[in-house]
């Protein structure tokens, strides 16, 4: 990835962990579980760097960049993934990595709540993130499916910057959700002390995370109250209105 960045080729570059292939490719629960148990993606996509080349100037530009890429692959001891793997993956998932439209699909497999450890800094920092994130994941959460650690890297600016992310799926039950969500409290407190926003969650209540993102929970609470005055739609998943209203009432009653 560093060599690709130094060569200034390509428009999109990723490091995909094997677990991502199963998440983003499966079009049904049956496909997800059958390929998971078969370990198809885990066996064929252990350490994948994906790059998208397209022409901004001419067809010759793509031809040149493809030659450079092949040279980097050769010098770094890499090899293309098997054609049958590519043919199985590409038609359903490649375009999604240009315009993200399928995130909701993999969240449905096991829920969208997770200790998603995110750092946006240099490539070095993105790489250094993973051991610490995996340690936290193992310590604070129930076992993820198969205990597999994910490591997604999304570089920018020809690899001068990068986003590193650790995601996982889990058993989507109220009991597990409560355990995972409670683990956020300690993590967020520590990260806030360190001046780092390194926790994201697809379904964590905004009561917990809203403060770190311009108090967005107060805005969402107003929308929620207008559209769902009886609080019948996922009453504690997006935002815990009852808890928030009690907290706001208490704050208003306290002497200024």
């Amino acid at each position: 990835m560093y060599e690709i960045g130094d060569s200034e080729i390509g428009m999109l570059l990723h490091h995909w962990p094997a677990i991502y292939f199963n998440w983003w490719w499966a079009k049904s629960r049956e496909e997800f579980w059958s390929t998971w148990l078969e370990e198809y993606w885990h066996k064929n996509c252990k350490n994948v760097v994906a790059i998208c080349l397209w022409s901004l100037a001419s067809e010759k530009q793509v031809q040149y960049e493809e030659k450079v890429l092949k040279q980097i692959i050769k010098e770094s001891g890499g090899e293309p993934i098997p054609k049958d793997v590519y043919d199985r993956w590409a038609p359903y998932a490649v375009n999604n990595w240009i315009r993200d439209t399928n995130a909701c699909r993999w969240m449905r497999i096991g829920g969208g709540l997770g200790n998603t450890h995110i750092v946006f800094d240099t490539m070095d920092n993105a790489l250094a993130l993973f051991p610490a994130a995996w340690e936290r994941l193992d310590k604070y959460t129930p076992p993820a499916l198969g205990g597999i650690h994910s490591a997604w890297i999304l570089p920018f600016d020809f690899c001068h910057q990068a986003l590193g992310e650790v995601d996982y799926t889990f058993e989507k039950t109220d009991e597990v959700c409560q355990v995972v969500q409670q683990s956020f409290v300690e993590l967020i407190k520590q990260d806030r002390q360190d001046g780092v926003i390194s926790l994201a969650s697809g379904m964590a209540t905004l009561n917990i995370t809203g403060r770190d993102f311009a108090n967005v929970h107060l805005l969402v609470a107003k929308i929620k109250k207008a559209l769902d005055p009886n609080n019948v739609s996922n009453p504690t998943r997006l935002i815990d209105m009852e808890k928030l209203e009690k907290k706001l009432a208490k704050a208003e009653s306290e002497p200024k």
Side-chain angles (χ1 to χ4, degrees), residues 99-170:
R99 181 175 183 269
D100 186 356
T101 55
N102 293 341
C104 55
R105 286 200 323 195
W106 78 259
M107 287 181 178
R108 288 176 62 190
I109 297 297
L113 176 68
N115 292 18
T116 304
H117 215 75
I118 299 175
V119 169
F120 183 87
D121 205 311
T122 65
M123 277 274 288
D124 287 345
N125 282 344
L127 292 166
L129 152 77
F130 298 122
W134 293 333
E135 184 179 352
R136 282 188 168 187
L137 182 67
D138 293 339
K139 181 178 180 180
Y140 291 104
T141 65
L145 293 175
I148 295 172
H149 292 150
S150 69
W152 174 47
I153 303 175
L154 173 62
F156 297 89
D157 191 21
F158 297 116
C159 296
H160 289 101
Q161 301 179 75
L163 181 152
E165 186 168 315
V166 175
D167 300 296
Y168 73 99
T169 51
F170 64 97

Side-chain angles (χ1 to χ4, degrees), residues 53 57 59 78 80 131 198 222 242 252:
L53 308 178
E59 185 176 347
S198 60
K222 291 180 180 179
E242 184 178 347
E252 289 177 1

Side-chain angles (χ1 to χ4, degrees), residues 196-246:
V196 175
I197 300 298
S198 60
L199 187 76
S201 54
M203 290 171 63
T205 60
L206 289 174
N207 309 59
I208 297 175
T209 59
R211 265 195 316 171
D212 291 321
F213 297 93
N215 286 324
V216 68
H217 59 301
L218 301 179
L219 176 61
V220 171
K222 291 180 180 179
I223 298 172
K224 172 80 167 172
K225 200 163 187 177
L227 298 179
D228 184 19
N230 295 322
N231 196 30
V232 296
S233 178
N234 288 326
T236 61
R237 290 296 177 91
L238 172 64
I239 185 167
D240 192 328
M241 288 293 291
E242 184 178 347
K243 186 178 291 186
L244 178 62
E245 288 174 345
K246 286 181 179 178

Side-chain angles (χ1 to χ4, degrees), residues 9-249:
I9 62 173
M11 295 297 294
L12 284 174
L13 181 65
H14 295 269
H15 172 273
W16 287 328
I19 196 171
Y20 264 41
F21 286 82
N22 217 56
W23 285 348
W24 294 86
W25 170 83
K27 297 166 289 300
S28 66
R29 290 184 180 273
E30 288 75 14
E31 279 192 339
F32 177 87
W33 284 113
S34 63
T35 51
W36 182 281
L37 296 174
E38 182 188 347
E39 296 188 343
Y40 177 84
W41 302 111
H42 300 71
K43 293 174 182 176
N44 292 297
C45 305
K46 293 182 179 179
N47 186 29
V48 175
V49 171
I51 184 171
C52 182
L53 308 178
W54 70 66
S55 172
L56 292 177
S58 66
E59 185 176 347
K60 289 183 178 180
Q61 176 195 346
V62 177
Q63 295 171 353
Y64 163 76
E65 292 192 2
E66 187 174 3
K67 288 180 180 179
V68 173
L69 179 61
K70 288 181 177 179
Q71 184 66 26
I72 292 172
I73 293 173
K74 181 179 179 181
E75 292 177 354
S76 60
E79 58 184 31
I81 62 172
K83 187 178 183 304
D84 63 309
V85 177
Y86 178 88
D87 290 342
R88 194 173 187 182
W89 163 261
Y92 296 100
V94 167
N95 285 342
N96 182 69
W97 291 91
I98 299 173
R99 181 175 183 269
D100 186 356
T101 55
N102 293 341
C104 55
R105 286 200 323 195
W106 78 259
M107 287 181 178
R108 288 176 62 190
I109 297 297
L113 176 68
N115 292 18
T116 304
H117 215 75
I118 299 175
V119 169
F120 183 87
D121 205 311
T122 65
M123 277 274 288
D124 287 345
N125 282 344
L127 292 166
L129 152 77
F130 298 122
W134 293 333
E135 184 179 352
R136 282 188 168 187
L137 182 67
D138 293 339
K139 181 178 180 180
Y140 291 104
T141 65
L145 293 175
I148 295 172
H149 292 150
S150 69
W152 174 47
I153 303 175
L154 173 62
F156 297 89
D157 191 21
F158 297 116
C159 296
H160 289 101
Q161 301 179 75
L163 181 152
E165 186 168 315
V166 175
D167 300 296
Y168 73 99
T169 51
F170 64 97
E171 184 183 4
K172 192 163 59 175
T173 64
D174 287 342
E175 182 181 4
V176 172
C177 286
Q178 289 170 9
V179 172
V180 177
Q181 187 161 305
Q182 185 58 40
S183 76
F184 291 166
V185 178
E186 183 179 345
L187 290 170
I188 290 176
K189 284 181 179 178
Q190 182 61 51
D191 288 333
R192 188 177 292 132
Q193 290 174 7
D194 297 338
V196 175
I197 300 298
S198 60
L199 187 76
S201 54
M203 290 171 63
T205 60
L206 289 174
N207 309 59
I208 297 175
T209 59
R211 265 195 316 171
D212 291 321
F213 297 93
N215 286 324
V216 68
H217 59 301
L218 301 179
L219 176 61
V220 171
K222 291 180 180 179
I223 298 172
K224 172 80 167 172
K225 200 163 187 177
L227 298 179
D228 184 19
N230 295 322
N231 196 30
V232 296
S233 178
N234 288 326
T236 61
R237 290 296 177 91
L238 172 64
I239 185 167
D240 192 328
M241 288 293 291
E242 184 178 347
K243 186 178 291 186
L244 178 62
E245 288 174 345
K246 286 181 179 178
K247 188 173 182 179
L248 291 176

